[in-house]
Amino acid sequence: VQLQASGGGLARPGGSLRLSCTASGFEMDYPVMGWFRQAPAREREGVACMALYNRTTYYADSVKGRFTVSRSTYMDTLYLQMNDLKVEDTAVYFCAIGELRTLATSPKLKYDVDHWGQGTLVTVSS
């Protein structure tokens, strides 16, 4: 299984960035795919994800209304559009895939990850 992530970089507060993650080689009946992030000295947290079989999306409360998960039509590529970025969004973002049955949305968004992609740094700073 390979998860190839790209995107990230530096943005100003209020700016936008887009992350991409292309998955290959996985075989799951009901996969969930998305992103976690980890800021310095903080635990890794779920950010957003999509149930691939029906494209239902899920978001952490901290990013609702600002981040959007979408999927390409012809490839197993997931996108995370990040708008209205805040300094507290600064973190290393990790693409991850797991089984939908392990997904929890309360109190925090999380799922058991079977495969991680490489992290990509998002820095929001003025």
Side-chain angles (χ1 to χ4, degrees), residues 18-21 35 68-72 77-81:
R18 189 176 82 159
L19 305 182
S20 301
C21 181
W35 279 268
T68 302
V69 176
S70 61
R71 183 185 180 189
S72 63
T77 298
L78 208 67
Y79 302 101
L80 181 66
Q81 178 66 41

Side-chain angles (χ1 to χ4, degrees), residues 11-17 66-67 81-89 123-126:
R12 303 289 190 192
S16 298
L17 287 172
R66 301 188 298 119
F67 290 12
Q81 178 66 41
M82 304 183 291
N83 297 329
D84 190 22
L85 283 162
K86 303 178 180 182
V87 172
E88 51 264 40
D89 293 319
T123 303
V124 184
S125 175
S126 56

